[in-house]
Amino acid sequence: MDLRDQLKNLFPTHEEQDFQMPEEEFKQKEPLVCKFEKKGRNGKPVTIVEGWEGSEDDLKKISKKIKTTLGIGGSEKDGTIIIQGDNRDKIMAILKDMGYKTKRVGG
């Protein structure tokens, strides 16, 4: 007699139901840090978005959305998005529309 049969004996009026775990929506705990940098890049300005806590796939989706909206290049790796040029205000507006909190660092 397995556990299922024992439970049926204890609770004869109970009907079994299939249960599905509800999918939890990811929430960023800390704000994303948006900063401007020129050091170590041959004087070329870049905007860096740091502090991502989610999966790499979601990071790539966010990066692609920013790059296609602004029509500029960039990359993403290790929880960091690097976008060419000084576009902090535009990037922060895009992230805010997507529901993320952002924090501006520097100048």
Side-chain angles (χ1 to χ4, degrees), residues 9-28:
N9 289 339
L10 287 173
F11 305 103
T13 59
H14 178 72
E15 293 181 21
E16 257 187 75
Q17 298 175 352
D18 286 334
F19 179 76
Q20 292 183 2
M21 287 293 291
E23 288 189 29
E24 258 185 58
E25 189 175 318
F26 171 74
K27 284 284 189 182
Q28 181 82 15

Side-chain angles (χ1 to χ4, degrees), residues 18-45:
D18 286 334
F19 179 76
Q20 292 183 2
M21 287 293 291
E23 288 189 29
E24 258 185 58
E25 189 175 318
F26 171 74
K27 284 284 189 182
Q28 181 82 15
K29 294 178 181 118
E30 297 292 320
L32 295 171
V33 176
C34 193
K35 64 182 181 178
F36 174 72
E37 193 173 278
K38 283 191 344 186
K39 285 186 185 174
R41 301 181 193 282
N42 294 331
K44 297 200 166 111

